[in-house]
Amino acid sequence: MMNGVKAVAKKYNEVSLILRIVAGLVIGAVLALAVPGAGWVGELGSLFVGALKGIAPVLVFVIVASALAQGSSKLDRRFGTVIWLYMLTTFLAAAIASVTSFMFPVSVVLADAAQSDVVPQGLGEVLSTLLTNFVANPISALMSGNYIGILFWACMFGLAMKNIGSDTTKKFLADTADAVSQVVRWIINLAPFGIMGLVYTNVAGNGLAIFTQYGKLLALLVGTMLFMAFIVSPFIMFLYLRCNPYPLVFRCLKESGLTAFFTRSSAANIPVNMALCEKLGLDKDMYSVSIPLGATINMDGAAITITIMTLAAANTLGIPVTLPAAIVLSAMSALGACGASGVAGGSLLLIPMACSLFGISNDIAMQVVGVGFIIGVVQDSVETALNSAGDVEFAATAEYHQWRKEGKPLPESTQTEIVENGIRYLVDFENGQKTGFFLDQKYNRLAMQRICKGKRVLDCFTHTGSFALNAAKGGAAGVLGVDASELGVAQAAQNAALNGMSDRVRFACRDVFELLPELERKGEKFDLVILDPPAFTKSRASVKKAV
């Protein structure tokens, strides 16, 4: 019985996560149309979102605190670049929403007003709430998912531990961060079942009725968000990276945006985004702070929603909007959107604040909010997908911009994924050594899976980590891969993350001939050492020099 379960789990894990998610999406839609009364299917979605929301605050706290406690956190100019990109694109999103609203003016049929206990009365109140969140009770911040407060207290705790914590305590913090990260990987691995439940709930509960009464408004909202996602954001990324940004854009939309579309929560998508950053080879010290921060202040979709819904209200009431007023509205929407995560109801309940700019009463504004809740099943999904994918896009842009300045090659542009011996690899055909992957060693690598169980393994000249990953797949207790190539080591780390092995395999960018004596002096012991060096001589004439 157990062997059968293990075999099924093995086959499941060998299939690409994206393919599994697409399968879950299709199955969920089919079940919703075929058996709309099967409520248990929808519960899978609730459990998935609940698990992500539950673990995300803990993940952010322990990762940030651990990074600072080890003294490794490097919040340098890259962090300033990330914040600048978050704020710039949020303002541009609001400005573009103003332009599209002038080009394609829409009005709305006002129905019942939405009900809310707390409606922000002005920009000052929104910003006050945002600042108050910094010093909220840390336990309360963890329980409520207040990421501004979580980041603040994690930084305070990490800096304190850096100065007074013992090495044992710091190691415990690092091990805790690794353990929580592993739990996140388990949850994300079950995403196909969660997506199936979320799609089932949406299709069974809403059908296509949403597109009839508010089709034009919804088309304007979604169209503007797609324009931002596929034109404006990539253009800004191009200005910083000077290369084709679309491979990165499509990957972020596929691996982050798709999940966010169905969870409809930037906070719930933080673990997904952190896993994607790891695959992209980004600095953990940076993205552990910038990704949660992005979930709070990178609100392109929210800025678009606030601006378009406000101008739709003005059009409905026949209120003329001048260009200066539209600019002020864009700035107000951008700043207000940054506080959307701290307001119950998110971007929709910031509409009355923006409407006040044109003298629109709170009663009318809340009716517009009511319309927003009606179309929210699509609007909020696309908004969250845009926001969440942008968090990773601009964190990666800031990091890669720094790489470019330092002369390091950028990843992704020439990479292709392959599978060998049940292990997935990203192979760089242009920048990699020779063809980027040595196929002649396939069966030698497979042999590692049979002889490494429970052993400590040292893989010298690891290249992109193929022998190291096969050792880990074979059950090695721990693997250290060493190579002098920065590009090779970065690729190896990406491959380890791609296969969920980052907790068992680590890589060092070192000269093997310098590292081996150093390991000997430290008394490091390995049960198995893999030596697959490059050719030291290409001809008889250079043999003496090679020896």
Side-chain angles (χ1 to χ4, degrees), residues 93 96 100 218-234 246 249-250 253 261 300-301 304 308 378-379 381-383 385-387 393:
I96 289 166
T100 56
L218 190 57
L220 180 60
L221 283 164
V222 172
T224 305
M225 291 179 192
L226 293 178
F227 182 79
M228 188 72 197
F230 290 108
I231 304 297
V232 180
S233 292
Y246 283 101
V249 169
F250 290 139
L253 287 171
F261 182 90
D300 298 0
I304 289 170
I308 287 179
V378 175
Q379 166 268 326
S381 294
V382 179
E383 176 184 314
L386 173 61
N387 292 342
E393 287 172 3

Side-chain angles (χ1 to χ4, degrees), residues 14 37 54 78 89 97 100 113 129 180 182 188 196 239 252 266 396 509 516 525 533:
E14 287 177 354
R78 294 171 299 172
T89 54
T100 56
T129 301
V180 175
Q182 182 59 50
I188 293 174
M196 180 180 72
L239 292 179
C252 290
S266 293
C509 185
L516 289 178
K525 302 291 183 182

Side-chain angles (χ1 to χ4, degrees), residues 101-102 104-108 308 310-319 321:
S101 292
F102 280 118
F104 308 102
V106 296
S107 57
V108 294
I308 287 179
T310 300
L311 291 175
N315 290 335
T316 302
L317 298 175
I319 299 173
V321 179

Side-chain angles (χ1 to χ4, degrees), residues 44 59 66 115 131 164 210 221 245 292 330 343 363 430 435 497:
L44 295 175
L59 175 71
S66 174
Q115 298 297 315
L131 293 174
I164 66 174
I210 184 178
L221 283 164
S330 299
V343 176
D363 289 340
E430 181 176 313
T435 61

Side-chain angles (χ1 to χ4, degrees), residues 50-202:
L52 285 175
K53 283 186 174 179
I55 197 67
V58 180
L59 175 71
V60 171
F61 185 88
V62 296
I63 283 181
V64 173
S66 174
L68 290 171
Q70 312 308 319
S72 59
S73 185
K74 302 179 284 295
L75 298 185
D76 50 24
R77 66 178 61 185
R78 294 171 299 172
F79 191 63
T81 303
V82 171
I83 294 176
W84 161 247
L85 289 172
Y86 285 165
M87 299 302 295
L88 172 66
T89 54
T90 300
F91 173 76
L92 288 177
I96 289 166
S98 296
V99 173
T100 56
S101 292
F102 280 118
M103 293 174 61
F104 308 102
V106 296
S107 57
V108 294
V109 178
L110 298 179
D112 296 330
Q115 298 297 315
S116 175
D117 294 332
V118 180
V119 179
Q121 296 302 310
L123 186 59
E125 184 177 335
V126 173
L127 295 179
S128 174
T129 301
L130 190 63
L131 293 174
T132 303
N133 283 341
F134 272 100
V135 291
N137 182 289
I139 303 300
S140 175
L142 284 167
M143 293 177 65
S144 63
N146 166 17
Y147 287 94
I148 289 291
I150 292 170
L151 280 172
F152 176 78
W153 291 116
C155 288
M156 294 297 100
F157 182 75
L159 290 171
M161 289 300 296
K162 178 181 178 180
N163 293 324
I164 66 174
S166 65
D167 289 341
T168 304
T169 305
K170 292 176 182 178
K171 187 177 186 307
F172 172 76
L173 268 179
D175 290 343
T176 301
D178 290 341
V180 175
S181 297
Q182 182 59 50
V183 172
V184 168
R185 293 188 193 101
W186 291 337
I187 295 171
I188 293 174
N189 199 38
L190 296 174
F193 298 100
I195 296 299
M196 180 180 72
L198 292 168
V199 171
Y200 177 89
T201 300
N202 282 337

Side-chain angles (χ1 to χ4, degrees), residues 14-52:
E14 287 177 354
V15 178
S16 166
L17 179 62
I18 297 301
L19 290 178
R20 284 182 270 152
I21 287 176
V22 171
L25 191 156
V26 173
I27 294 170
V30 171
L31 287 175
L33 296 174
V35 281
W40 62 271
V41 179
E43 287 301 314
L44 295 175
S46 300
L47 289 171
F48 176 64
V49 175
L52 285 175

Side-chain angles (χ1 to χ4, degrees), residues 444-459:
N444 287 334
R445 288 190 282 262
L446 183 62
M448 294 300 106
Q449 297 188 22
R450 297 193 292 268
I451 64 175
C452 290
K453 187 172 183 179
K455 293 181 170 60
R456 289 194 71 210
V457 178
L458 174 63
D459 178 18

